[in-house]
C-alpha cells in the first residue's frame, strides 16, 4: 500500500504520462489521488518529452522501471513503430494512447475513444457529426455502433477513401469548405477531428461540441464555439473521465 508520504518503494508500479506539456496537465495528479484513495502501490509520473526525444523515451521503457505510459494526444500517432504488439483498433486507426510494458516488449491500446463514446451515450446523443478523417475519426468510427454518424471533410475523395478504410457502407458524406455556411444544429453532437485552422463556415453548432485538443493546443472549434456562445468540451475538460478509465486499465494490467 502507498504510504501517506507518497514515497516510491521498490514494489511501486510506475507509469508515465508522456506529453510535451505533461507537467501542466492535471492527469497525473488526479490519477495519483485515485491510486492513493484505493490503496494501490502505483504512481504516475508526468514526463515532459519533446518530439525529438520521444523515440528514445519510449524505446528505453523496455529496460526502465516504468511499467507503461499514457500518451498525450500530440504523440498518439508517433508511437506506433515502437510497439511490439497492438490490438486491431490500434493498427487500423493508426493511433495508440496507452502503452504497457510486458517483459521486454511494449503493447499498445486505445482508451480515450471508449471514454468519448460513453460520454456521448450519457448525453443520449444519437445524431453525431464528425469533421475530419484522422486517426481519432477512424478509432471513433470503429466504436460508433448505435450512433447515426455524418462525416464532413474538405476533400471528398479523401473522405471516400476513409469510409472504405473503416468499412462504412452508405456513409453520409458531406463537403465542408471555408466558402460555405453550414448549420450543425440538427445534430446532437459535433466531433472535430480535423486540422482546419478556422471553422468560420459553421453558422450554428449543436448542443455540445468536442475535440481532443488540450489547452496548450490551438482549437478552431473552441474559438468558433466561443463566437457562437456554444458549449465546447476539450480533452482537459474530460480528464476526470479519462483518468477513471485509465485507472481501471492500469490496475487491471499492473501484474
Amino acid at each position: 500500500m502507498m504510504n501517506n508520504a507518497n514515497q516510491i518503494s521498490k514494489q511501486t508500479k510506475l507509469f508515465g504520462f508522456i506529453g510535451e506539456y505533461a507537467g501542466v496537465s492535471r492527469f497525473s495528479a488526479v490519477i495519483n489521488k485515485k491510486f492513493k484513495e484505493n490503496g494501490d502501490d502505483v504512481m504516475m509520473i508526468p514526463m515532459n518529452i519533446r518530439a525529438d526525444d520521444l523515440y528514445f523515451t519510449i524505446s528505453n521503457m523496455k529496460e526502465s522501471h516504468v511499467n507503461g505510459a499514457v500518451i498525450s494526444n500530440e504523440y498518439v500517432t508517433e508511437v506506433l513503430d515502437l510497439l511490439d504488439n497492438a490490438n486491431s483498433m490500434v493498427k487500423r486507426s493508426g493511433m495508440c494512447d496507452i502503452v504497457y510494458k510486458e517483459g521486454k516488449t511494449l503493447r499498445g491500446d486505445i482508451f480515450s475513444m471508449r471514454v468519448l463514446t460513453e460520454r456521448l451515450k450519457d448525453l443520449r446523443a444519437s445524431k453525431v457529426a464528425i469533421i475530419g478523417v484522422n486517426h481519432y475519426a477512424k478509432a471513433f468510427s470503429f466504436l460508433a455502433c448505435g450512433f447515426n454518424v455524418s462525416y464532413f471533410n474538405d476533400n471528398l475523395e479523401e473522405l471516400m477513401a476513409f469510409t472504405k478504410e473503416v468499412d462504412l457502407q452508405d456513409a453520409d458524406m458531406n463537403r465542408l469548405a471555408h466558402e460555405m455556411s453550414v448549420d450543425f444544429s440538427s445534430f446532437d453532437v459535433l466531433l472535430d477531428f480535423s486540422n482546419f485552422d478556422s471553422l468560420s463556415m459553421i453558422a450554428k453548432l449543436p448542443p455540445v461540441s468536442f475535440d481532443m485538443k488540450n489547452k496548450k493546443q490551438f482549437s478552431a472549434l473552441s474559438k468558433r464555439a466561443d463566437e457562437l456562445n456554444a458549449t465546447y468540451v476539450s480533452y482537459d475538460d474530460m480528464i476526470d473521465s479519462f483518468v477513471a478509465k485509465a485507472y481501471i486499465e492500469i490496475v487491471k494490467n499492473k501484474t
Side-chain angles (χ1 to χ4, degrees):
M1 179 180 293
M2 188 180 295
N3 61 36
N4 290 332
N6 291 333
Q7 293 178 347
I8 299 174
S9 71
K10 291 182 180 180
Q11 289 72 42
T12 303
K13 299 293 184 180
L14 300 179
F15 275 77
F17 177 67
I18 294 177
E20 187 174 5
Y21 303 103
V24 300
S25 172
R26 295 173 49 241
F27 200 107
S28 298
V30 175
I31 201 168
N32 283 333
K33 182 179 179 182
K34 198 169 185 67
F35 289 139
K36 185 175 180 180
E37 289 173 347
N38 289 281
D40 300 302
D41 195 4
V42 185
M43 182 173 285
M44 181 168 284
I45 304 168
M47 303 169 68
N48 291 335
I49 305 298
R50 297 178 307 178
D52 53 0
D53 291 328
L54 183 66
Y55 180 91
F56 176 84
T57 302
I58 300 294
S59 59
N60 279 275
M61 191 181 296
K62 297 177 183 180
E63 304 295 334
S64 74
H65 295 295
V66 177
N67 291 269
V70 170
I71 310 299
S72 187
N73 65 334
E74 64 268 29
Y75 292 147
V76 296
T77 64
E78 307 299 320
V79 301
L80 276 293
D81 291 340
L82 301 172
L83 301 175
D84 299 289
N85 301 292
N87 63 22
S88 61
M89 189 181 301
V90 169
K91 294 176 181 177
R92 294 186 67 191
S93 67
M95 66 167 283
C96 166
D97 57 21
I98 191 165
V99 175
Y100 305 99
K101 184 173 73 173
E102 297 178 337
K104 297 296 182 180
T105 67
L106 299 178
R107 176 174 61 85
D109 205 340
I110 298 172
F111 76 98
S112 60
M113 287 296 95
R114 301 182 194 280
V115 174
L116 182 58
T117 57
E118 289 303 315
R119 180 68 171 267
L120 300 194
K121 290 175 184 177
D122 290 342
L123 292 172
R124 298 187 178 181
S126 175
K127 293 186 64 179
V128 178
I130 293 180
I131 302 175
V133 294
N134 74 355
H135 46 282
Y136 280 121
K138 290 177 184 177
F140 181 87
S141 295
F142 295 135
L143 298 169
C145 181
F147 298 111
N148 181 8
V149 183
S150 296
Y151 294 88
F152 294 79
N153 197 47
D154 53 344
N155 185 319
L156 282 180
E157 289 185 0
E158 190 177 51
L159 185 53
M160 290 176 66
F162 166 87
T163 59
K164 290 181 180 179
E165 187 174 354
V166 296
D167 297 327
L168 293 174
Q169 303 296 323
D170 301 318
D172 180 20
M173 295 182 286
N174 306 271
R175 183 170 177 267
L176 187 70
H178 288 293
E179 67 271 14
M180 304 172 70
S181 178
V182 182
D183 183 350
F184 284 103
S185 62
S186 64
F187 292 92
D188 300 313
V189 167
L190 171 66
L191 306 176
D192 178 27
F193 298 140
S194 74
N195 58 0
F196 278 105
D197 56 8
S198 170
L199 292 174
S200 59
M201 75 289 286
I202 298 178
K204 292 183 180 180
L205 284 165
V208 188
S209 299
F210 295 78
D211 65 20
M212 295 298 288
K213 303 289 182 62
N214 63 51
K215 291 181 180 178
K216 284 288 186 177
Q217 297 174 296
F218 171 74
S219 168
L221 181 61
S222 174
K223 184 175 185 294
R224 191 57 178 153
D226 185 61
E227 293 167 348
L228 296 175
N229 194 29
T231 300
Y232 161 74
V233 181
S234 70
Y235 181 95
D236 289 339
D237 293 326
M238 291 185 63
I239 276 184
D240 288 342
S241 298
F242 290 135
V243 162
K245 180 64 173 174
Y247 171 82
I248 293 170
E249 296 300 312
I250 288 171
V251 169
K252 184 174 69 177
N253 286 274
K254 72 176 182 178
T255 55

